[in-house]
């Protein structure tokens, strides 16, 4: 049985063999048809894809070219042309002519639409799906370019289809660009005073150096980048994290040979404390720049600001003490009842640069002043007369400001004219008072003594927002613009603030508020605005905004 | 009954097969299949080859456009050499997966270590057709596919193009 089965499987009958003859040929014919079909689809669909890619390429390039025309002029002006700018149609044709030589496809047609983008970067379309153009007197902010052609098929004509259309779309906008430096604190404003030397020397662990020679010294970020590359051969990443001593050397190399700042940086490189010298600094993060933002290469960086930022970065979030700042507190504040005063001033965070309108923000650095002392004050206004005494600890924080670069406006010639900046003073000045050691003693026979255990009070200047429009000089001679705020003092603490603490202070709120707390707040107010701020060059409730690279109106980009 | 029928059928089938016929046909199907499968495979690989070429052609046009775009969006005032370098880096990025790169100094397209065409990044020069003196950068890629096909050339050169070219010229100022 097994033998028979085996024979039956392996040896076909003559009749079946005769039937199967030619089966391979049939199979091959079928496969060839299938494969040729696949080949036909490959060729035709592939050419379609190439045509689409070419349409995208030409749409992108033409929209980039035409985006330069969208510079704040009306649609009518763009279409008809103004001095220095070709009419839209001829600019489009010239761009197409330059870029269409190798394009796959026939009957190439390129259309340009002047549109207005909404907040999401979208534009409206008409009933046919075409971009909805702005009116003649409206000012578009983008141009939509549609490239359309037909690609002939090689095999599809068998089925009566001779060609297929390919169309791609691209949206170009003319983004203005600028960079903003906020200098609420910082050392950038302290250049006229001695505090910059004290702070930087302390932060960098050196003897007191004359950092004032760095004032006004600038380097091109590109040169700095090259210098860092030379110091770290093989390093692929631009502006990568580098040791602080390498940054100092690179800064020196990027300065002009005649700059006196080079000697100071030489001296600094030799005197850096070892741990500080080895600390790694992320230069790009320090400047608030992102790679590929298109704004880094021409940026010029203030050496003093960068060095100060690096010094703060070394210390992380730890504040840096400011030694030698002689504060006349409380003598000059009209509060002689505070004794054994100890004041510590520190600065933290860093100066920042922000670029890219609409998204960039720059945050100021922060100054923190700690004052401790013993208070012993008689409050005659209360009935019965009370005396407030005990240790107090006051903490004053200044300059917590965020500035955002909103927009750069351009004139009809495509030159930047204004730069609008919003400033959000989240807490430009704030006092935290720890009064938990105070006691209120009613004078006279049987006067009660009320401890204020757990009493910690905060008073902050109210949050403000300002919008500033900076007039950009024609020659781009960039300078500082000071924006002053009318709110320039700390608010008085009220009974409501005390109630909010959940402590029953009805009996003592008069003495506490009138006799102790608010005089202290006023004293601190005077200390902040009349002593600390001038000493550090700080403008509380005001910021110094500086455009740190030439604002440009000609920054075309693809936005869709 | 069923078992008896099956046995008869098997016996008849075995008897019908003569030794002479088996010798003549043995392997014929394999030979036929081999004869057929070779051109079929040639066609299949041809499809792959052509499709790969088309994909590369798309990348060439993308590379030229990306190179031009990189130059166009560069900040104003950037040195010309930096513009060209940016364009070349963008071209390299687009062709990296094919191991093709642009040497901006020599103006050559390299496939690995082999010269495989030209990569001309020129400008800024006055844009052709410009009436306002606008400056343009031009990125022109020409890959000599006939000399250096990306897949082994086993006779497909007849249907494949000799050159894959694309040029983009964009205004930079």
């Amino acid at each position: 049985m097994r033998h028979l089965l085996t024979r039956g499987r392996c040896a076909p009958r003559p009749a079946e063999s005769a039937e199967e003859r030619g089966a391979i040929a049939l199979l091959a014919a079928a496969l060839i048809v299938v494969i040729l079909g696949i080949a036909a689809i490959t060729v035709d669909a592939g050419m379609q894809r190439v045509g689409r890619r070419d349409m995208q390429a030409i749409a992108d390039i033409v929209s980039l070219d035409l985006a330069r025309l969208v510079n704040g002029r009306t649609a009518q002006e763009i279409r008809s042309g103004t001095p220095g700018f070709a009419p839209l149609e001829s600019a489009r044709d010239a761009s197409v002519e330059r870029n269409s030589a190798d394009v796959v496809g026939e009957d190439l047609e390129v259309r340009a639409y002047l549109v207005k983008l909404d907040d999401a970067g979208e534009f409206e379309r008409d009933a046919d799906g075409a971009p909805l153009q702005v009116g003649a007197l409206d000012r578009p902010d983008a141009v939509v370019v549609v490239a359309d052609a037909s690609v002939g098929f090689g095999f599809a004509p068998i089925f009566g289809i001779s060609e297929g259309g390919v169309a791609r779309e691209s949206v170009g906008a003319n983004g203005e660009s600028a960079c903003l430096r906020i200098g609420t604190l910082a050392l950038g404003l302290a250049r006229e005073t001695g505090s910059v030397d004290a702070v930087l020397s302390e932060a960098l662990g050196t003897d007191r150096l004359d950092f004032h020679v760095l004032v006004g010294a600038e380097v091109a970020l590109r040169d700095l980048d090259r210098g860092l590359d030379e110091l770290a051969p093989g390093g692929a990443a631009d502006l990568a994290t580098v040791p602080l001593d390498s940054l100092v050397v690179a800064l020196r190399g990027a300065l002009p040979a005649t700059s006196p700042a080079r000697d100071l940086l030489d001296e600094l490189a030799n005197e850096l404390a070892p741990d500080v010298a080895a600390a790694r600094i992320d230069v790009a993060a320090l400047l608030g720049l992102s790679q590929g933002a298109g704004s880094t290469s021409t940026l010029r960086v203030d050496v003093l600001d960068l060095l100060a930022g690096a010094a703060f970065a070394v210390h992380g979030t730890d504040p840096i003490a400011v030694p030698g700042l002689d504060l006349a507190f409380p003598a000059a504040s009209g509060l002689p009842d505070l004794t054994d005063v100890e004041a510590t001033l520190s600065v933290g965070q860093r100066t920042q640069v922000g670029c890219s309108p609409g998204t960039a923000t720059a945050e100021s650095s922060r100054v923190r002043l700690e004052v401790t002392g013993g208070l012993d004050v008689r409050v005659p206004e209360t009935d019965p007369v009370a005396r407030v005494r005990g240790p107090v600890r006051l903490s004053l924080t200044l300059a917590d400001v965020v500035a955002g670069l909103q927009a750069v406006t351009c004139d009809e010639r495509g030159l930047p004219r204004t730069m609008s900046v919003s400033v959000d003073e989240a807490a430009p000045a704030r006092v935290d008072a720890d009064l938990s050691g105070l006691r209120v003693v009613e004078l006279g026979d049987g006067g009660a003594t009320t401890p204020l255990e757990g009493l910690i009070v905060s008073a902050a200047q109210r949050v403000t927002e300002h919008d500033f429009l900076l007039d950009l000089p024609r020659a781009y001679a960039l300078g500082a613009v000071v924006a002053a705020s009318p709110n320039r003092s700390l608010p008085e603490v009220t009974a409501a603030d005390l109630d909010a603490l959940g402590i029953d202070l009805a009996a003592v709120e008069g003495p506490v508020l009138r006799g102790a707390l608010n005089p202290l707040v006023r004293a601190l107010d005077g200390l902040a605005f009349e002593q600390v701020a001038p000493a550090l060059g700080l403008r509380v409730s005001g910021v110094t905004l500086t455009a740190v690279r030439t604002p440009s109106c000609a920054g075309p980009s693809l936005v869709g | 009954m069923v078992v008896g029928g099956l046995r008869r059928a098997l016996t008849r089938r075995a008897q019908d097969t003569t030794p002479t016929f088996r010798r003549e046909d043995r392997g014929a199907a394999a030979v036929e299949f081999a004869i057929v499968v070779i051109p079929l495979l040639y066609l299949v690989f041809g499809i792959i080859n052509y499709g790969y070429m088309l994909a590369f052609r798309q990348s060439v046009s993308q590379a030229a456009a990306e190179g031009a775009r990189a130059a166009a969006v560069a900040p104003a005032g950037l040195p010309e050499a930096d513009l060209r370098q940016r364009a070349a880096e963008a071209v390299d990025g687009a062709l990296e997966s094919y191991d093709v790169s642009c040497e901006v100094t020599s103006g050559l397209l390299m496939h690995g270590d082999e010269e495989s065409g030209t990569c001309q990044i020129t400008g800024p020069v006055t844009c052709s057709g410009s009436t306002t003196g606008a400056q343009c950068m031009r990125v022109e890629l020409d890959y000599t596919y006939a000399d250096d096909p990306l897949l082994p050339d086993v006779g497909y050169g007849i249907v494949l193009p000799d050159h894959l070219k694309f040029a983009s010229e964009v205004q930079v100022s």
Side-chain angles (χ1 to χ4, degrees):
Chain A
M1 174 71 179
R2 185 177 176 186
H3 175 66
L4 292 175
L5 283 172
T6 306
R7 286 181 61 189
R9 272 206 307 271
C10 294
R13 292 177 301 156
E16 287 177 356
S17 293
E19 288 171 3
E20 289 175 4
R21 277 184 185 170
I24 294 292
L26 286 174
L27 181 64
L31 280 175
I32 285 175
V33 169
V34 170
I35 290 173
L36 283 178
I38 294 173
I41 293 171
T42 301
V43 172
D44 285 351
M47 290 305 289
Q48 279 279 305
R49 300 288 296 184
V50 171
R52 276 168 49 121
R53 178 59 250 180
D54 285 5
M55 288 305 103
Q56 188 67 63
I58 197 168
D60 286 350
I61 298 300
V62 173
S63 66
L64 280 171
D65 282 349
L66 298 187
R68 292 178 182 274
L69 303 180
V70 183
N71 52 5
R73 296 178 299 160
T74 64
Q76 189 175 28
E77 289 171 329
I78 294 172
R79 290 194 182 102
S80 58
T82 55
F85 294 98
L88 178 69
E89 199 168 308
S90 62
R92 179 202 64 193
D93 292 345
S95 183
V96 172
E97 180 68 25
R98 290 193 293 267
N99 290 284
S100 57
D102 301 310
V103 168
V104 167
E106 303 292 329
D107 305 325
L108 174 65
E109 184 183 359
V110 178
R111 300 180 294 279
Y113 303 86
L114 296 171
V115 301
K116 198 110 180 146
L117 300 177
D118 59 21
D119 292 340
E122 303 290 335
F123 55 87
E124 292 184 39
R125 296 178 184 273
D126 62 18
D128 298 327
L132 192 62
Q133 301 215 62
V134 298
L137 299 179
D138 291 332
R139 299 177 191 278
D141 50 22
V143 59
V144 180
V145 171
V146 180
D148 194 347
S150 62
V151 176
F153 289 127
F155 296 90
I158 297 169
F159 304 101
I161 307 170
S162 60
E163 61 184 23
V166 286
R168 302 302 285 171
E169 187 178 280
S170 183
V171 186
N174 199 0
E176 305 83 12
S177 63
C179 291
L180 168 73
R181 181 178 63 221
I182 181 168
T184 304
L185 162 66
L187 301 168
L189 289 182
R191 292 164 180 175
E192 299 80 16
T193 74
S195 59
V196 62
D197 297 341
V199 173
L200 276 184
S201 299
E202 180 76 12
L204 297 172
T206 65
D207 292 336
R208 187 153 175 155
L209 298 178
D210 184 12
F211 287 98
H212 275 81
V213 299
L214 298 179
V215 172
E218 287 188 341
V219 297
L221 201 54
R222 183 178 61 250
D223 296 338
L224 176 62
D225 193 19
R226 285 177 184 154
L228 291 172
D229 279 346
E230 289 171 7
L231 290 171
D238 291 340
L239 297 175
T241 304
V242 295
L244 179 58
D245 56 353
S246 295
L247 176 62
V248 172
V249 172
L251 279 171
R252 179 196 176 281
L255 284 166
T258 56
S259 171
R262 289 170 68 104
D263 294 337
L264 184 277
L265 291 176
D266 270 339
E267 192 178 355
L268 176 62
N270 292 328
E271 286 204 13
L272 282 174
D275 56 331
V276 174
R280 300 190 74 82
I281 306 295
D282 187 339
V283 181
L286 196 63
L287 293 172
L289 301 175
S290 58
Q291 294 298 305
S295 56
T296 57
S297 296
T298 55
L299 179 63
R300 293 190 68 78
V301 181
D302 186 292
V303 173
L304 187 55
D305 277 349
L306 185 56
L307 202 56
F312 286 119
V314 168
H315 289 260
T317 56
D318 298 332
I320 301 166
V322 183
L325 189 63
D326 187 19
L327 298 175
F329 186 88
S333 63
L335 189 70
D337 303 310
L338 196 64
T339 57
D340 300 329
V341 175
E342 288 186 13
T344 306
L345 183 68
S346 59
V347 291
Q349 301 180 9
R350 54 187 168 83
T351 56
Q352 282 191 336
V353 174
C355 297
S356 303
T359 58
T361 59
E363 296 178 11
S364 69
S365 300
R366 178 174 294 184
V367 176
R368 191 174 180 86
L369 175 67
E370 300 269 356
V371 177
T372 60
L375 185 69
D376 187 356
V377 60
R378 188 167 178 270
V379 189
E381 301 88 352
T382 57
D383 183 21
V385 175
R387 186 167 194 159
V388 181
R389 59 192 303 183
V392 293
R393 174 184 291 275
L394 301 165
S395 172
L396 171 68
T397 306
L398 298 175
D400 189 2
V401 180
V402 177
L405 179 58
Q406 299 299 311
V408 176
T409 59
C410 305
D411 65 12
E412 68 283 355
R413 294 191 302 160
L415 296 174
R417 279 289 165 259
T418 63
M419 185 166 80
S420 58
V421 179
S422 70
V423 175
D424 178 7
E425 298 179 76
R430 174 188 176 90
V431 168
D432 297 286
D434 180 356
L435 306 179
S436 57
L438 285 182
R439 291 171 182 275
V440 180
V441 181
E442 293 178 359
L443 299 181
D445 293 339
T449 298
T450 306
L452 303 179
E453 191 172 343
L455 179 57
I456 298 174
V457 181
S458 294
Q461 195 178 37
R462 69 181 178 86
V463 175
T464 55
E465 285 188 19
H466 316 277
D467 290 318
F468 300 106
L469 198 61
L470 311 183
D471 289 324
L472 296 174
R474 187 180 298 269
Y476 301 123
L478 303 174
V481 177
V482 177
S485 164
N487 305 305
R488 199 183 155 272
S489 62
L490 292 166
E492 291 218 331
V493 180
T494 65
D497 294 326
L498 299 180
D499 290 341
L501 297 170
I503 301 173
D504 180 13
L505 293 167
V508 296
E509 67 179 35
V512 170
L513 291 178
R514 288 199 295 273
L517 189 53
N518 280 324
L520 280 173
V521 170
R522 283 195 294 274
L524 275 176
D525 190 64
L527 184 69
F529 296 110
E530 293 164 18
Q531 294 185 54
V532 174
L536 285 177
L538 176 66
R539 296 176 195 274
V540 182
S541 296
V543 292
T544 292
L545 305 169
T546 310
V548 292
R549 66 166 280 230
T550 305
S552 170
C553 294
S557 60
L558 298 178
V559 296
Chain B
M1 182 66 181
V2 173
V3 173
L6 177 61
R7 184 178 294 162
R8 280 196 299 277
L10 290 172
T11 304
R12 187 169 62 244
R13 181 171 182 174
Q15 289 169 345
D16 287 347
T17 307
T18 62
T20 306
F21 206 90
R22 284 203 306 273
R23 275 199 303 274
E24 287 174 353
D25 282 3
R26 186 173 289 172
V31 172
E32 288 176 21
F33 183 73
I35 292 171
V36 168
V37 83
I38 289 172
L40 285 179
L41 283 177
Y42 190 75
L43 275 174
V44 169
F45 285 119
I47 292 169
I48 294 171
N49 216 320
Y50 200 84
Y52 198 68
M53 180 276 296
L54 287 176
F56 181 59
R57 167 61 176 74
Q58 290 187 58
S59 294
V60 169
S61 56
Q62 181 186 355
E66 290 285 332
R69 191 190 74 85
V73 301
L78 206 61
E80 294 178 4
D82 285 7
L83 281 179
R84 287 193 284 273
Q85 187 59 40
R86 282 181 177 227
E89 286 171 3
V91 170
D92 287 350
L95 298 177
E96 189 177 24
S97 58
Y98 296 95
D99 195 21
V100 174
S101 60
C102 172
E103 284 195 350
V104 67
T105 49
S106 61
L108 293 173
L109 264 184
M110 305 295 291
H111 180 211
D113 297 329
E114 298 288 324
E115 295 179 13
S116 301
T118 58
C119 172
Q120 301 288 340
I121 301 176
T122 53
V125 295
T126 303
C127 304
S128 50
S130 170
T131 56
T132 58
Q135 299 290 297
C136 275
M137 288 281 294
R138 183 174 178 82
V139 179
E140 190 170 3
L141 305 179
D142 182 355
Y143 188 91
T144 50
Y145 205 83
D147 295 339
D148 192 7
L150 296 181
L151 293 180
D153 181 11
V154 283
Y156 298 120
I158 299 170
V159 295
L160 293 176
D162 294 339
H163 290 259
L164 296 179
K165 296 195 296 184
F166 201 83
S168 288
E169 186 175 327
V170 70
Q171 190 177 334
V172 293
S173 64

